[in-house]
């Protein structure tokens, strides 16, 4: 990853996900966050081992990382970090943001961008109250997403604290999902126009997802 050790205070979007595989829904989410929140940079952060998917079979972190690099290569505002993959083990977001904060100028601002359903479970993540003090959150939703779910899972006091730190962004392109792409590949159906061609070529060359992984 390029050096983050900048003297300038910048606004960073950290795009957290498993990216299994990365698709246009993720890329549109990052682009929309970049523009709406006037970010200086978006750093994609593929997780090593997602803590909430301990029993799931997931393709290697290296493959997910390389596909992410291929997908963002043409956007000068986007880059990919191997921080979580190099750290290994379960990827706790609080540890990642903590590590990044140490490398950024003191007044830099961090927005953690990910899917709304992931953020819905933030109270089950490691040290959620510390995490919410570290950064803001951008929760990407698919069209028709029921935001009422958030009010249901938080206690009144938690919601008062968390709601000011979470922004919601509806992304029509998130009608695309990694699960549906894996399923289509397994069934031999086309995934063209759902994810970048160079990522499709990588999947095909390495015979990924054909056996239910
Ligand atoms: P997930 O449960 O696989 O995804 C939940 C939903 O969000 C899915 O619909 C997913 O769609 C979508 N999504 C995931 N990443 C997205 C992104 N960057 N932009 C837009 N939509 C996205 O979630 P995950 O990928 O494993 O985890 C998301 C992030 O939360 C990761 O960075 C992970 O490390 C972090 N997390 C941290 C903890 C913790 O610290 N304890 C626990 C859980 C998650 P697709 O399937 O199409 O991507």
């Amino acid at each position: 990853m390029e050096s983050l050790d900048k003297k300038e205070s910048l606004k960073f979007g950290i795009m957290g996900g498993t990216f299994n595989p990365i698709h246009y829904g993720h890329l549109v989410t990052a682009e929309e966050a970049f523009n709406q929140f006037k970010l200086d940079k978006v750093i994609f952060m593929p997780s090593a081992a997602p803590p909430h998917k301990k029993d799931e079979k997931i393709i290697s972190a290296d493959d997910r990382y390389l596909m992410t690099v291929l997908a963002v290569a043409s956007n000068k505002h986007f880059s990919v970090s191997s921080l979580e993959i190099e750290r290994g083990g379960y990827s706790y977001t609080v540890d990642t943001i903590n590590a990044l904060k140490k490398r950024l100028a003191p007044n830099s601002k961090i927005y953690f961008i990910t899917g709304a359903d992931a953020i819905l479970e933030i109270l089950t993540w490691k040290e959620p109250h510390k995490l919410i003090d570290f950064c803001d959150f951008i929760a990407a939703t698919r069209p028709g997403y029921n935001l009422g779910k958030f009010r249901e899972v938080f206690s009144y006091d938690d919601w008062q604290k968390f709601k000011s730190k979470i922004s919601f962004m509806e992304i029509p392109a998130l009608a695309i999902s990694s699960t549906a792409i894996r399923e289509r590949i397994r069934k031999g159906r086309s995934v063209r126009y759902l994810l970048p061609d160079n990522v499709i070529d990588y999947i095909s060359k390495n015979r990924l997802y054909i056996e239910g992984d």
Side-chain angles (χ1 to χ4, degrees):
M1 184 179 71
E2 71 187 272
S3 171
L4 281 177
D5 304 312
K6 303 251 168 66
K7 297 217 164 39
E8 269 179 290
S9 302
L10 298 175
K11 283 165 82 178
F12 289 93
I14 304 300
M15 181 75 177
T18 312
F19 302 126
N20 185 32
I22 190 160
H23 53 67
Y24 282 130
H26 300 129
L27 294 166
V28 171
T29 299
E31 179 70 7
E32 203 53 29
F34 178 80
N35 288 313
Q36 276 191 33
F37 292 82
K38 301 191 177 0
L39 305 179
D40 294 293
K41 199 158 193 41
V42 177
I43 302 168
F44 285 67
M45 185 68 69
S47 54
H52 58 307
K53 294 182 181 170
K54 292 180 180 162
D55 301 327
E56 278 180 44
K57 197 176 152 212
I58 296 174
I59 65 157
S60 83
D62 286 346
D63 281 329
R64 291 183 289 106
Y65 172 80
L66 286 172
M67 288 191 283
T68 308
V69 170
L70 289 171
V72 310
S74 63
N75 189 322
K76 67 177 178 182
H77 305 298
F78 292 177
S79 62
V80 188
S81 170
S82 56
L83 189 152
E84 289 193 343
I85 290 171
E86 280 172 30
R87 190 172 69 215
Y90 293 117
S91 298
Y92 296 112
T93 303
V94 71
D95 297 339
T96 304
I97 303 295
N98 202 11
L100 288 172
K101 278 177 86 70
K102 289 181 183 151
R103 296 169 63 177
L104 300 176
N107 290 327
S108 297
K109 189 164 171 71
I110 298 178
Y111 292 84
F112 188 77
I113 312 161
T114 196
D117 273 339
I119 295 177
L120 187 63
E121 296 181 354
I122 195 169
L123 290 174
T124 68
W125 295 13
K126 182 181 171 187
E127 302 181 89
H129 291 270
K130 186 170 163 188
L131 178 59
I132 205 82
D133 286 337
F134 277 173
C135 64
D136 283 22
F137 284 80
I138 300 174
T141 66
R142 298 191 153 93
Y145 189 84
N146 172 17
L147 290 179
K149 285 200 259 182
F150 272 78
R151 190 54 202 90
E152 284 164 23
V153 301
F154 288 88
S155 69
Y156 178 81
D157 286 346
D158 278 338
W159 186 235
Q160 294 313 305
K161 179 168 184 190
F162 280 69
K163 73 177 180 187
S164 62
K165 301 279 278 179
I166 303 174
S167 303
F168 294 91
M169 210 173 56
E170 189 177 281
I171 305 291
L174 275 178
I176 302 170
S177 80
S178 297
T179 308
I181 288 171
R182 295 196 301 273
E183 185 73 13
R184 289 180 79 93
I185 294 171
R186 205 158 35 246
K187 290 181 173 162
R189 295 177 64 189
S190 170
V191 290
R192 211 166 167 201
Y193 309 123
L194 299 177
L195 63 173
D197 286 345
N198 55 2
V199 178
I200 297 176
D201 290 346
Y202 183 94
I203 290 171
S204 160
K205 179 177 168 187
N206 293 286
R207 303 178 56 75
L208 302 178
Y209 305 122
I210 49 179
E211 282 170 9
D213 43 5

